[in-house]
Amino acid sequence: MTPSRLLSSLAVLVALTTPALADPAQIYAEECAMCHGGDRLGGTGPALIPETLSRMRGPHLHDVIAHGRAATQMPGFEDVISETEIAALAEWLNTPLNEIPAWGPEQIAASATMNAGYVAAPAPVWDADPMNITLVVETGDHHVSVLDGDSWDVLDRFETPFAVHGGPKFTPDGHFVFVMSRDGWVQKYDLWSLQEVGRVRAGLNSRNIAMSHDGKWLAVANYLPQTLTILSTEDLSVARVMDVISKSGQTSRVSAVYQAPQRQSFILALKDAPEIWEVATDPEADPVYEGFVHSREKDMVEAIASSEGLFARRRIETAEPIDDFFFTPDYRFLIGAARDGAHGVVVNLNVGREIAKLPLPGMPHLGSGISWIRGDTRVMATPHLREGKLSVIDIESWEVLSTIETEGPGFFLRSHENTPYVWADVFFGPNKDVMHVIDKQSLEIVKTLRPEPGATVAHVEFDRDGTHALVSIWEEDGAVIVYDAATLEEVKRLPMNKPSGKYNVWNKITFSEGTSH
Ligand code: DHE
């Protein structure tokens, strides 16, 4: 037999003896659809679409399919499907859906599940300072722990939807809190009775939520579909679904939405179009329209003319789309990061115009920015996701005053009105176990904490009066460490499952300058 004949006979033999590979869509239908939904948009398990998968931290998708996911109901499939099929399935799951299903008011309303056993309590069922309650999001097993911020007792530990992202938002009286997952689920929880009230899917893939100044409305910024959903906080019913389309007709994801308390509005930025939106949450309130009234800009005049009262929208056009942003404490200025990660822009929200450009290379993470008074000037500071440095900016002259070198790129920055220090984590790289403590006046690092060598140490929140700082050991067998904020000594270690953000009721509802909003 000639070599070429031998090769072709071998190929036929291999083809006959190798079982045919199943189509990934068929494997999905047989093995995955029951939990993750026939449309891949989630069921008891999360949605399996690129928008969600690319944001999941932890083991690689291939490993999750083969070995399962700890602390969830996801089993391993290595004994059910072959290695090659697992690879093909993982690749298929990472391809976008051919068609995005409609997810408007009707579908959102149909997704609502209210807790039939929920009973409202007229007053808290616990004996703690209601203004010093602090929540810890535990991403390891998708729970939130409710802490008494004085005794550090855990009052409750409740299950959340899969993969909570961004800060939970409290009603102005601190009675209820709303938690959002990347799959767009919004959960309402009663802190007084320690019970879930219900949940609703406001989007298919979402960024974050914002509470209105009066606690009546909750805005949900979505990537999929490209909408802003506004829910009634009372019963989670849909108040409005706004299609996010720029003035030039471009559809867009929402980068994020925040409450602007003094303006009585929501402010959001479009991720795919150069526009900021302001959405009124009190049609009677003048401040929202102050900018229009005092501006002679044509667009502003149009905006007044098209005002429709509650949820009236105002557009502010920018030079480039804004990805990540921060506000001055009076909410007159928005400081945004452009997509190139090399500079920031300052937008005067009253006149609706960009007024300054900031040199901020290294991908500033402005959403984590904080501000404080240094000497007789108000400054703000931001970490950078790609460089080990913090930029400190004078928010009157818009000059970068100082660049503080850190031991690696950080994610979160925190402080409190009553502490002389800023706490900055190092989230990426070999020094991810480091937390820097920086003097707000000298801008010098006064201490570098390394509480658990080798473990990721990140995100800080203070108690109500700023006397204690809570730090996450962001690992499955992690902890929240309570530090004395003056001596910087460890006071207590509370074991937690991959704790991420912490949120103190008082600091959040009073818009403390040292925390995110
Ligand atoms: Fe976040 C807040 C965007 C990745 C943990 N993150 C936010 C907010 C935005 C945002 C817009 C503000 C929302 C709010 O609080 O209302 N995050 C982004 C991104 O664009 C980015 C870089 C990419 C992405 O995955 O979407 C991103 N974020 C992450 C993570 O990888 C983190 C570390 C882990 C996780 O849970 O996914 C993460 N983000 C957080 C946390 C907050 C947050 C804990 C709330 C911080 C706070 O103190 O308020």
Side-chain angles (χ1 to χ4, degrees):
M1 195 182 282
T2 64
S4 65
R5 274 185 161 232
L6 179 65
L7 275 178
S8 68
S9 310
L10 276 174
V12 170
L13 192 66
V14 169
L16 287 174
T17 51
T18 309
L21 279 185
D23 169 28
Q26 187 190 332
I27 302 177
Y28 180 86
E30 285 166 13
E31 307 292 347
C32 323
M34 197 165 49
C35 295
H36 296 280
D39 50 9
R40 288 168 52 199
L41 289 170
T44 52
L48 297 180
I49 51 175
E51 291 82 353
T52 307
L53 293 168
S54 63
R55 298 304 178 195
M56 275 184 196
R57 293 174 69 83
H60 193 270
L61 177 60
H62 187 284
D63 292 337
V64 177
I65 300 173
H67 311 300
R69 189 183 262 274
T72 69
Q73 288 172 22
M74 172 71 186
F77 284 84
E78 60 183 344
D79 297 334
V80 183
I81 48 178
S82 71
E83 182 66 23
T84 331
E85 286 171 326
I86 291 177
L89 179 60
E91 193 184 326
W92 183 74
L93 293 174
N94 268 316
T95 51
L97 292 175
N98 290 334
E99 228 173 274
I100 308 301
W103 202 257
E106 205 180 304
Q107 291 80 6
I108 299 171
S111 73
T113 324
M114 303 314 279
N115 174 7
Y118 166 69
V119 183
V125 296
W126 30 263
D127 184 19
D129 174 0
M131 291 294 126
N132 201 19
I133 295 294
T134 301
L135 302 188
V136 183
V137 173
E138 292 182 69
T139 52
D141 62 353
H142 314 284
H143 276 70
V144 164
S145 281
V146 182
L147 293 184
D148 173 340
D150 291 293
S151 67
W152 308 115
D153 288 341
V154 178
L155 304 175
D156 188 26
R157 190 169 185 276
F158 66 90
E159 196 173 357
T160 65
F162 186 89
V164 164
H165 180 241
K169 299 288 145 58
F170 299 97
T171 46
D173 57 0
H175 185 168
F176 296 98
V177 68
F178 294 79
V179 176
M180 187 215 77
S181 77
R182 287 194 183 256
D183 276 351
W185 283 96
V186 172
Q187 177 183 34
K188 178 176 179 183
Y189 178 84
D190 181 341
L191 286 162
W192 288 7
S193 69
L194 301 178
Q195 290 174 65
E196 173 168 341
V197 182
R199 54 180 83 184
V200 65
R201 193 170 189 182
L204 297 172
N205 187 259
S206 305
R207 301 300 294 152
N208 81 321
I209 51 178
M211 173 72 60
S212 64
H213 68 284
D214 53 7
K216 286 186 181 164
W217 315 109
L218 191 84
V220 187
N222 298 319
Y223 265 13
L224 207 66
Q226 297 180 343
T227 53
L228 180 81
T229 303
I230 302 180
L231 300 170
S232 155
T233 54
E234 178 69 32
D235 57 4
L236 296 178
S237 62
V238 183
R240 184 73 59 94
V241 177
M242 298 173 82
D243 287 325
V244 179
I245 304 173
S246 73
K247 204 172 166 198
S248 65
Q250 166 81 44
T251 59
S252 175
R253 297 167 291 174
V254 180
S255 296
V257 60
Y258 295 94
Q259 181 202 145
Q262 294 91 332
R263 310 175 71 86
Q264 306 195 331
S265 62
F266 291 127
I267 306 237
L268 52 141
L270 275 51
K271 198 173 172 80
D272 307 302
E275 250 175 56
I276 294 168
W277 285 10
E278 178 159 27
V279 175
T281 49
D282 184 353
E284 307 301 325
D286 257 9
V288 172
Y289 302 102
E290 205 176 289
F292 304 135
V293 175
H294 296 302
S295 167
R296 295 191 191 283
E297 301 267 315
K298 182 173 152 284
D299 291 347
M300 305 295 140
V301 179
E302 271 175 21
I304 303 172
S306 69
S307 160
E308 13 170 280
L310 185 64
F311 309 140
R313 180 200 46 210
R314 170 191 175 202
R315 297 175 193 269
I316 298 174
E317 289 178 276
T318 51
E320 290 174 60
I322 287 173
D323 243 0
D324 186 22
F325 49 107
F326 173 77
F327 299 92
T328 51
D330 58 6
Y331 283 78
R332 281 178 59 212
F333 298 98
L334 176 150
I335 303 101
R339 196 172 289 173
D340 65 5
H343 69 274
V345 289
V346 183
V347 178
N348 181 325
L349 293 169
N350 284 358
V351 296
R353 194 182 305 126
E354 282 183 20
I355 55 141
K357 224 172 188 185
L358 299 166
L360 292 175
M363 190 67 105
H365 190 218
L366 287 160
S368 272
I370 56 166
S371 100
W372 69 90
I373 299 286
R374 178 170 179 255
D376 51 10
T377 333
R378 182 166 281 282
V379 297
M380 68 155 287
T382 176
H384 293 252
L385 299 175
R386 293 213 191 116
E387 282 177 29
K389 63 179 192 185
L390 305 169
S391 297
V392 183
I393 299 153
D394 180 326
I395 63 169
E396 274 153 35
S397 67
W398 298 113
E399 275 167 33
V400 178
L401 288 178
S402 175
T403 303
I404 304 169
E405 301 290 328
T406 62
E407 290 192 22
F411 212 96
F412 301 106
L413 205 58
R414 285 290 176 273
S415 188
H416 189 283
E417 287 81 350
N418 298 341
T419 175
Y421 306 124
V422 168
W423 295 55
D425 59 31
V426 170
F427 199 73
F428 306 97
N431 297 320
K432 64 186 171 85
D433 52 0
V434 154
M435 176 71 68
H436 293 298
V437 183
I438 299 160
D439 186 283
K440 281 175 172 173
Q441 300 305 317
S442 69
L443 306 182
E444 298 291 329
I445 296 178
V446 293
K447 193 160 183 178
T448 293
L449 303 164
R450 195 174 244 123
E452 187 79 41
T456 305
V457 172
H459 193 274
V460 179
E461 173 63 305
F462 287 81
D463 55 0
R464 174 186 177 161
D465 61 7
T467 53
H468 294 94
L470 279 66
V471 172
S472 290
I473 305 281
W474 199 304
E475 304 286 344
E476 265 156 28
D477 55 351
V480 164
I481 305 181
V482 182
Y483 283 95
D484 181 311
T487 64
L488 311 181
E489 294 299 325
E490 184 172 328
V491 173
K492 199 158 186 163
R493 212 171 258 235
L494 310 164
M496 301 263 172
N497 192 336
K498 228 176 177 188
S500 61
K502 283 103 37 220
Y503 310 90
N504 175 273
V505 170
W506 178 257
N507 294 339
K508 292 296 171 190
I509 65 175
T510 59
F511 285 74
S512 161
E513 64 180 21
T515 192
S516 61
H517 304 150

